[in-house]
């Protein structure tokens, strides 16, 4: 099964997403051009993508940013069946040093907040000048720990399981160009 076979309904079309990405790109570019960054040495913004889900969003967003930037990745995975709910495993760390730099973290979705809390704590320990967060989707009603993204594409307040544009169901469907609600009958637990 693929695409529309597994989707109950399309929540955000490819056109919706691309339009919002352009808006976010303009807003973020304007903020950093106006001096939001705090790097005393004025180095380019360091954009950090959280793999794997953020990849399509990040690929589009960086091309909508009209400011000097570098980018790097952290690969994370949530512990699913461990004894520590909300614990986050870092599978791949940054290659770039973040000390004194302005960092913009890119996420596909903020749910409980555990992933971003873990990653921001980890990065703050390296003493960057600033950290801001941009997420395509935010589910504030699901939050278990406080995380406040600075830039949000869309707020999702319905209890949908979402797939597409980087979001997976059993590692599949990340390549859908839209974001859809998974058919409820496909969710087993
Ligand atoms: C997903 C998503 C976020 C995180 C959000 O990642 O990409 O990183 O969960 O959930 P939280 O706010 O409850 O922590 P996942 O661990 O599924 O990995 P993936 O990006 O490879 O899909």
């Amino acid at each position: 099964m693929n695409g529309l076979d597994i989707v109950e309904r399309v929540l955000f079309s490819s056109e919706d997403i691309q339009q919002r990405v352009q808006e976010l790109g303009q807003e973020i570019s304007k903020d950093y051009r106006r001096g939001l960054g705090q790097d005393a040495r004025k180095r380019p913004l360091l954009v950090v993508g959280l793999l794997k889900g953020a990849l399509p969003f990040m690929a589009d967003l960086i091309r909508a940013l009209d400011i000097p930037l570098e980018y790097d990745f952290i690969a994370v995975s949530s512990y699913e069946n461990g004894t520590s709910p909300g614990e986050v495993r870092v599978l791949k760390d940054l290659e770039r040093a973040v000390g004194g730099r302005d960092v913009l973290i890119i996420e596909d979705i903020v749910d409980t907040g555990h992933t971003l809390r873990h990653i921001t704590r980890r990065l703050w320990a390296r003493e960057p000048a600033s950290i801001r967060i941009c997420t395509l989707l935010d589910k504030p009603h699901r939050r278990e720990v406080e995380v406040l993204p600075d830039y949000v594409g869309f707020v999702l307040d319905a209890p949908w399981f979402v797939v597409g544009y980087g979001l997976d169901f059993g590692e599949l469907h990340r390549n859908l160009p839209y974001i859809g609600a998974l058919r409820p009958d496909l969710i087993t637990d």
Side-chain angles (χ1 to χ4, degrees):
M1 286 195 289
N2 202 359
L4 291 170
D5 291 344
I6 56 106
V7 161
E8 178 83 2
R9 69 179 169 97
V10 174
L11 299 175
F12 305 106
S13 69
S14 176
E15 292 73 24
D16 294 337
I17 295 169
Q18 293 310 321
Q19 186 185 333
R20 190 69 189 114
V21 167
Q22 294 308 313
E23 290 168 1
L24 285 170
Q26 286 172 16
E27 184 185 349
I28 295 168
S29 301
K30 196 166 70 181
D31 284 353
Y32 282 98
R33 260 195 247 111
R34 280 184 180 166
L36 188 79
Q38 293 167 40
D39 181 351
R41 290 167 54 191
K42 306 282 180 214
R43 284 165 290 188
L45 180 66
L46 181 59
V47 178
V48 172
L50 298 196
L51 297 174
K52 295 180 281 224
L55 179 65
F57 177 44
M58 178 163 166
D60 288 337
L61 183 67
I62 55 171
R63 287 176 289 176
L65 290 174
D66 186 21
I67 47 173
L69 63 84
E70 298 173 20
Y71 63 79
D72 200 347
F73 300 97
I74 300 178
V76 290
S77 179
S78 315
Y79 281 109
E80 283 163 10
N81 302 309
T83 51
S84 310
E87 205 171 332
V88 175
R89 225 169 6 139
V90 174
L91 306 175
K92 179 215 168 293
D93 208 337
L94 291 176
E95 291 168 19
R96 310 295 292 163
V98 301
R101 302 282 302 265
D102 292 308
V103 175
L104 178 67
I105 299 175
I106 310 295
E107 255 294 24
D108 53 345
I109 187 165
V110 186
D111 191 338
T112 64
H114 286 291
T115 301
L116 271 177
R117 187 176 66 161
H118 181 92
I119 294 302
T120 50
R121 280 184 174 175
R122 187 182 176 97
L123 293 187
W124 275 123
R126 299 174 192 177
E127 301 185 349
S130 68
I131 298 179
R132 290 174 80 83
I133 295 167
C134 176
T135 184
L136 180 63
L137 298 179
D138 191 11
K139 282 182 160 180
H141 67 286
R142 292 262 308 165
R143 211 69 100 242
E144 293 176 6
V145 293
E146 189 178 344
V147 169
L148 288 173
D150 300 280
Y151 304 99
V152 174
F154 305 103
V155 173
L156 259 183
D157 45 21
W160 295 112
F161 187 104
V162 283
V163 292
Y165 199 66
L167 296 149
D168 72 305
F169 177 54
E171 291 298 327
L172 291 171
H173 315 303
R174 294 188 195 270
N175 57 317
L176 295 176
Y178 53 84
I179 294 172
L182 189 69
R183 265 176 35 207
D185 61 290
L186 296 176
I187 300 171
T188 48
D189 54 3

